[in-house]
Amino acid sequence: MIKLKINGQFKTLDVEPRVTLLDALRENLGLTGSKKGCDHGQCGACTVLIDGQRAYSCLTLAVMQEDKEITTIEDLAKGDDLHPVQTAFLKNDGFQCGYCTPGQICASLALLDEVKNGSVSYVTADLNNPPTLASLSETEIKERMSGNLCRCSAYNGIVAAVQQAAGQTPPSPAASIEHSQAG
Amino acid sequence: MKNFAYVRANSVEDAISRTTNDRQAMFIAGGTNLVDRLKVFLDEPSQLVDVSRLEMKQIERTNEGGLKIGALVTNTDLANHIEVRRNYPLLSRAILAGASQQIRNMATVGGNLMQRTRCPYYYDTAFPCNKRQLNTGCPAATGINRIHAILGASESCVAVNPSDMSVAMAALDATVEVQGMQGKREIPLIDFHRLPGNTPDRDTNLEPGELITAVILPPLSFAKSGVYLKLRDRASYAFALVSVATALEVAGEQIKNARVALGGVAHKPWRAMEAEEFLIGKAANNKSNFEQAAEIALKDAKTLAHNGFKVELSKRAIRRALTVSAQGGGIV
């Protein structure tokens, strides 16, 4: 028996050591928001937060996560009140089929915290001068979101959603349509 | 995956004695590569010894003015550490070039050193593979080998080491501290990983039971000139086709010291010592010196049916990285 703390609640589970955190969430706890896309850490659909940091739940064993604070997509909305990142995805067409969306949203949420905490990325020009939420560029957002694939390719909407959640003004969907027609 | 026993080690000594006494036992820390390998039956351990809760999460200054990095420091924490960003920017940049934020949050320094090749034939148990089982053959040598080695490969294995972090550490003259039943020992990072030879099943010179406890970086006065350039099939979250770590010490216009290491080209991080020696004493503002250094670094390259492009790609990457290092380093 193992004890996991998921979305603020302790859950006791009877799982073998080989059960991944993702399978424990989905199969044992009925939390099917976290998705199994590739099950190999390549797509990001299983992204959850472990002690506030984003992680692929398919690449870790449930038994290793005892005493950790695990947050899944199910914990973001409070009743019908969506989390601001969820609202931003809705407003900016940040998805089409929606399968990758729980992972995208959890990753976005973590991204915002990382930027607030001054983290750098491969495309940060000056490693001693990390971007702020206000100065976070599209290039930075794309690099920082590269661990989440969207096979509908809603990437422009996802970038716009992150921009809005960061307090920036994303380009309007109409503007991007005009742009694509012009191009 | 096959089931296994799980045990949480309560000390380094406890962890070592468990894997020494049971040769089918394996350590697990971040698990980002091992869990994936377990899923496809590449590893079938009797027990997993979880070392992730042990100490070894510190980054400390050494008496010599370098850094001692605990084996369990996450890739994210190392890349973002203020001293690493300031004094070893090519290491920050190399780590940030690797994997995704999710993986870097989970993966540890020790685990990064222990990750295994992503050769698709190694991963697909429908094929034979000398790395999986000796003397069964290497289908990559005659198969689709676009991503495979151009330096130091053997007839029995043409796989490449996938780590970005190790390439920067090779350029920085890092040392790996390991602990076994006989106590601690230190292995220069460039001798930590092995060339495949006739024993591609062994990636490293770690002995059974030994655990990586730290990586030590010596001080390097010109580390700020460091550059890490990674070339890959997509802009992010992909393994390197070729990567280069460089650093140059330039006084006046003369090169006093040089570091050149390559990734994606060999079974281990590849330090181009001969190219470095060539550069010493040469003019830093003469591009032909960088061209010659690149030629020297690749002169022993041997190509397979599909990876010939890596030779020219490596040369251009070396030239470009050295040019930026000569200008004081930074983003490429």
Side-chain angles (χ1 to χ4, degrees):
Chain A
M1 296 293 255
I2 64 165
K3 199 160 90 174
L4 295 180
K5 190 175 182 190
I6 315 237
N7 300 331
Q9 293 187 320
F10 283 103
K11 303 279 183 185
T12 304
L13 299 113
D14 186 11
V15 292
E16 292 179 332
R18 63 177 157 177
V19 173
T20 63
L21 176 59
L22 176 64
D23 282 341
L25 291 171
R26 290 180 58 85
E27 307 294 332
N28 296 79
L29 296 165
L31 295 169
T32 53
S34 307
K35 296 293 186 274
K36 188 185 272 195
C38 69
D39 206 25
H40 291 285
Q42 295 173 8
C43 77
C46 68
T47 300
V48 299
L49 307 183
I50 301 176
D51 287 342
Q53 293 208 315
R54 48 176 153 164
Y56 294 144
S57 59
C58 78
L59 285 188
T60 188
L61 303 170
V63 67
M64 294 180 73
Q65 300 306 328
E66 283 193 292
D67 318 320
K68 307 283 175 74
E69 299 265 353
I70 295 152
T71 306
T72 69
I73 189 71
E74 285 88 350
D75 197 43
L76 267 60
K78 301 299 170 207
D80 288 339
D81 292 334
L82 294 183
H83 187 281
V85 176
Q86 291 174 307
T87 306
F89 268 73
L90 273 174
K91 281 248 180 194
N92 293 280
D93 288 337
F95 54 89
Q96 289 177 36
C97 84
Y99 193 82
C100 71
T101 311
Q104 300 278 2
I105 289 175
C106 286
S108 302
L109 193 64
L111 180 157
L112 298 173
D113 270 344
E114 290 152 14
V115 174
K116 280 182 211 158
N117 293 329
S119 86
V120 287
S121 87
Y122 182 61
V123 300
T124 305
D126 178 357
L127 293 177
N128 295 309
N129 188 18
T132 62
L133 287 179
S135 71
L136 191 69
S137 68
E138 193 177 319
T139 311
E140 281 275 6
I141 293 171
K142 287 178 177 171
E143 166 62 24
R144 290 167 188 258
M145 287 298 287
S146 71
N148 293 76
L149 303 187
C150 168
R151 293 298 73 175
C152 304
S153 212
Y155 293 113
N156 289 343
I158 292 166
V159 170
V162 174
Q163 288 172 323
Q164 179 177 323
Q168 301 179 10
T169 308
S172 72
S176 68
I177 290 165
E178 281 161 27
H179 182 75
S180 68
Q181 283 170 345
Chain B
M1 66 184 98
K2 255 179 71 176
N3 208 14
F4 41 79
Y6 169 84
V7 58
R8 220 167 267 163
N10 51 41
S11 67
V12 171
E13 290 72 21
D14 175 43
I16 294 165
S17 82
R18 286 177 189 276
T19 53
T20 304
N21 295 330
D22 175 2
R23 291 294 169 89
Q24 305 306 314
M26 295 179 81
F27 299 123
I28 188 165
T32 55
N33 184 212
L34 180 55
V35 171
D36 197 30
R37 299 204 309 264
L38 295 173
K39 288 183 185 186
V40 290
F41 302 98
L42 292 181
D43 293 287
E44 297 179 337
S46 56
Q47 60 171 318
L48 285 187
V49 179
D50 183 353
V51 295
S52 67
R53 293 173 192 237
L54 300 179
E55 295 304 308
M56 309 194 286
K57 297 185 176 82
Q58 305 298 315
I59 300 176
E60 303 160 278
R61 274 205 164 222
T62 62
N63 293 335
E64 294 73 35
L67 286 183
K68 182 173 178 179
I69 304 154
L72 292 171
V73 172
T74 66
N75 285 209
T76 294
D77 286 348
L78 183 57
N80 278 286
H81 192 268
I82 188 73
E83 298 231 12
V84 179
R85 279 192 276 156
R86 271 193 202 138
N87 300 328
Y88 303 97
L90 83 163
L91 178 57
S92 274
R93 196 75 73 183
I95 293 168
L96 296 166
S100 66
Q101 184 71 43
Q102 285 94 323
I103 297 230
R104 293 190 297 269
N105 286 345
M106 304 166 80
T108 64
V109 167
N112 190 316
L113 292 174
M114 295 303 292
Q115 67 175 312
R116 305 202 72 184
T117 185
R118 297 325 197 273
C119 171
Y121 296 100
Y122 164 70
Y123 264 81
D124 189 342
T125 53
F127 286 94
C129 170
N130 288 326
K131 189 177 280 298
R132 257 187 278 117
Q133 197 176 352
L134 276 179
N135 304 317
T136 55
C138 175
T142 51
I144 306 294
N145 44 42
R146 185 173 168 272
I147 66 167
H148 291 80
I150 54 171
L151 290 164
S154 69
E155 277 183 17
S156 64
C157 182
V158 295
V160 297
N161 182 295
S163 172
D164 291 294
M165 182 194 80
S166 302
V167 181
M169 286 181 170
L172 293 169
D173 267 345
T175 301
V176 185
E177 181 193 84
V178 306
Q179 189 173 335
M181 293 298 269
Q182 316 302 323
K184 287 191 177 183
R185 67 183 180 115
E186 292 187 356
I187 310 169
L189 188 128
I190 54 168
D191 298 328
F192 182 78
H193 297 96
R194 297 158 57 96
L195 287 178
N198 295 321
T199 52
D201 55 320
R202 272 193 83 182
D203 289 352
T204 73
N205 284 315
L206 215 52
E207 297 297 334
E210 281 185 323
L211 179 68
I212 300 170
T213 51
V215 172
I216 298 153
L217 300 179
L220 182 65
S221 60
F222 56 100
K224 283 182 187 174
S225 70
V227 163
Y228 191 76
L229 171 60
K230 182 175 182 181
L231 303 170
R232 43 190 157 171
D233 281 329
R234 59 183 187 195
S236 184
Y237 202 20
F239 291 102
L241 292 167
V242 166
S243 69
V244 188
T246 59
L248 286 176
E249 182 182 16
V250 181
E253 279 303 334
Q254 203 185 39
I255 297 168
K256 297 286 177 196
N257 216 327
R259 300 288 171 85
V260 181
L262 291 167
V265 295
H267 199 259
K268 58 185 284 187
W270 190 268
R271 183 85 179 264
M273 297 273 198
E274 223 178 304
E276 293 175 1
E277 281 158 27
F278 166 82
L279 285 167
I280 294 169
K282 300 289 192 307
N285 55 0
N286 184 345
K287 282 198 169 179
S288 80
N289 288 327
F290 297 157
E291 284 166 18
Q292 287 181 67
E295 292 297 327
I296 292 168
L298 274 298
K299 71 177 164 49
D300 295 326
K302 286 193 178 66
T303 60
L304 302 161
H306 309 115
N307 67 359
F309 73 99
K310 280 193 177 186
V311 178
E312 182 61 25
L313 195 64
S314 302
K315 289 179 188 174
R316 293 185 191 195
I318 291 171
R319 272 150 35 195
R320 194 170 145 202
L322 284 172
T323 303
V324 178
S325 276
Q327 291 158 358
I331 194 165
V332 188

